């Protein structure tokens, strides 16, 4: 069974930093692209960042470019999102998602999310 | 950026009725249009990918159609578990999501 478990969310002051993690299990992690998608309270979904299976390519939404860094550790089946210079509008539930095996940016599996609150 | 506009914002229907949800793109996304379902307090769930392909475990009452800029998600004979918010997403260019359509019980 595919499982994605996010952690690291919490309350942080504006301008602060936070590191989110996603522990993956139930599939061959190093074969899949991974992503972060966020959802502000009561709002819709927003893609944040993606990383290819070998970490050879990363991409970011303009709203986080230069402040967030996505990374992965294939030996530990782990995905991370390092967030700096946090702003109030970064407040959201952050979901870790896995691409479909064949289809880029089709989010076949989602974690339960971790809440980041920037005050 | 490709902007996706979903309509209506809210759809009030009774169980057994048909739901028709629209997603319009600001430019052509070819057939690279995806639909997700989200229930309160839960993560989204993949429903349809690339316009018309049902994801694993999605019942046949869900169907998708369209191409280019205009897409539709149809849910035939709504079941109680289908009442939720539905989001469309395009993956033709840098991915974006629509604002969602809430399907609520009338």
């Amino acid at each position: 069974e595919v499982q994605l478990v996010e952690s690291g969310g919490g309350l942080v002051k504006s301008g602060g930093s936070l590191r989110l993690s996603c522990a993956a299990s139930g599939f061959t992690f190093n074969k899949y692209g991974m992503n972060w998608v966020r959802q502000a309270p009561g709002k819709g979904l927003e893609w944040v960042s993606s990383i290819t299976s070998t970490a050879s390519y990363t991409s970011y939404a303009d709203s986080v470019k230069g402040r967030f860094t996505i990374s992965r550790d294939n030996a530990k089946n782990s995905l991370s999102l390092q967030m700096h210079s946090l702003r109030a509008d970064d407040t959201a539930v952050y979901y870790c998602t896995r691409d479909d095996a064949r289809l880029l940016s089709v989010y076949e599996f989602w974690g339960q999310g971790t809440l980041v609150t920037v005050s | 950026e490709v902007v996706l506009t979903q309509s209506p914002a809210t759809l009030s229907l009774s169980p057994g009725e048909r739901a028709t949800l629209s997603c319009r793109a600001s430019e052509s996304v070819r057939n690279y249009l995806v639909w997700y379902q989200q229930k309160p307090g839960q993560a989204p769930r993949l429903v349809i990918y690339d316009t018309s392909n049902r994801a694993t475990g999605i019942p046949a009452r869900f169907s998708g159609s369209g191409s280019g800029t205009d897409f539709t998600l149809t849910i035939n004979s709504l079941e109680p578990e289908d009442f939720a918010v539905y989001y469309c997403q395009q993956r033709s260019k840098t991915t974006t999501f629509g604002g969602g359509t809430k399907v609520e019980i009338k």
Side-chain angles (χ1 to χ4, degrees):
Chain A
E1 178 194 4
V2 171
Q3 286 203 338
L4 300 170
V5 180
E6 302 95 336
S7 61
L11 178 62
V12 61
K13 286 187 165 59
S14 181
S17 299
L18 209 56
R19 186 178 183 90
L20 306 183
S21 296
C22 172
S25 61
F27 64 101
T28 305
F29 184 70
N30 63 16
K31 300 288 189 192
Y32 291 87
M34 299 293 295
N35 318 273
W36 291 97
V37 175
R38 69 184 180 183
Q39 186 170 35
K43 302 296 185 183
L45 301 169
E46 179 188 17
W47 169 75
V48 173
S49 182
S50 296
I51 188 167
T52 55
S53 59
T54 60
S56 59
Y57 180 74
T58 59
S59 55
Y60 300 91
D62 286 345
S63 57
V64 307
K65 202 171 291 184
R67 300 187 299 122
F68 290 12
T69 302
I70 192 171
S71 61
R72 63 190 296 160
D73 185 337
N74 284 346
K76 295 182 178 179
N77 292 348
S78 178
L79 176 74
S80 295
L81 186 68
Q82 178 68 53
M83 305 185 293
H84 295 295
S85 303
L86 284 161
R87 312 185 301 224
D89 62 358
D90 294 318
T91 294
V93 173
Y94 285 72
Y95 293 103
C96 166
T97 74
R98 194 200 85 174
D99 277 348
D100 177 270
R102 299 170 292 115
L103 306 170
L104 190 66
S105 298
V106 173
Y107 304 138
E108 186 180 11
F109 292 99
W110 298 63
Q112 85 289 348
T114 188
L115 176 62
V116 173
T117 304
V118 184
S119 64
Chain B
E1 170 181 307
V2 178
V3 176
L4 298 178
T5 302
Q6 292 188 241
S7 61
T10 304
L11 201 49
S12 299
L13 295 167
S14 301
E17 292 192 295
R18 173 183 294 174
T20 303
L21 288 67
S22 173
C23 178
R24 178 164 290 178
S26 60
E27 60 185 90
S28 175
V29 297
R30 295 176 283 173
N31 71 323
Y32 296 125
L33 198 286
V34 183
W35 292 93
Y36 298 90
Q37 174 195 70
Q38 187 177 33
K39 297 179 182 179
Q42 296 184 17
R45 176 192 184 192
L46 177 65
V47 177
I48 297 280
Y49 64 91
D50 292 353
T51 298
S52 59
N53 299 281
R54 280 190 304 277
T56 302
I58 299 300
R61 62 181 180 272
F62 288 85
S63 63
S65 63
S67 66
T69 60
D70 288 293
F71 300 86
T72 301
L73 174 68
T74 301
I75 312 170
N76 283 310
S77 191
L78 281 163
E79 296 286 342
E81 62 267 27
D82 300 335
F83 291 91
V85 178
Y86 292 83
Y87 293 96
C88 60
Q89 174 213 10
Q90 64 79 21
R91 66 183 196 95
S92 175
K93 297 184 177 180
T94 301
T95 193
T96 52
F97 290 89
T101 290
K102 181 180 182 180
V103 179
E104 66 175 21
I105 298 177
K106 187 173 181 180

